[in-house]
Amino acid sequence: MIDVYRRRIAAMVVRLAREDPELVKEVIARLRRDREIESDDLVYLERIADDWIRVTADNRRSARH
């Protein structure tokens, strides 16, 4: 039961990183600043957010041409 719950939460968080990566990065930065998480916690999620920010920027550049 707990594994199913954790997988659902993980999927939801990854989806949020895709849909609103800037928000995810802001929340992670705030959690680190307030020392609610360690500096290396959520690095994988931050990478996903960075990837989607890059994809969005690439798409915008392609749309302009």
Side-chain angles (χ1 to χ4, degrees), residues 5 12 30 45:
Y5 176 75
M12 192 169 35
R30 189 175 325 131
L45 187 58

Side-chain angles (χ1 to χ4, degrees), residues 8-43:
R8 283 184 185 168
I9 295 298
M12 192 169 35
V13 170
V14 169
R15 187 177 20 202
L16 180 59
R18 289 178 181 166
E19 292 174 2
D20 197 346
E22 289 87 4
L23 174 64
V24 170
K25 290 194 57 94
E26 287 175 24
V27 170
I28 291 171
R30 189 175 325 131
L31 290 170
R32 284 183 180 139
R33 183 190 66 231
D34 295 343
R35 296 205 166 113
E36 293 186 36
I37 62 171
E38 296 296 322
S39 63
D40 59 344
D41 286 350
L42 303 178
V43 170

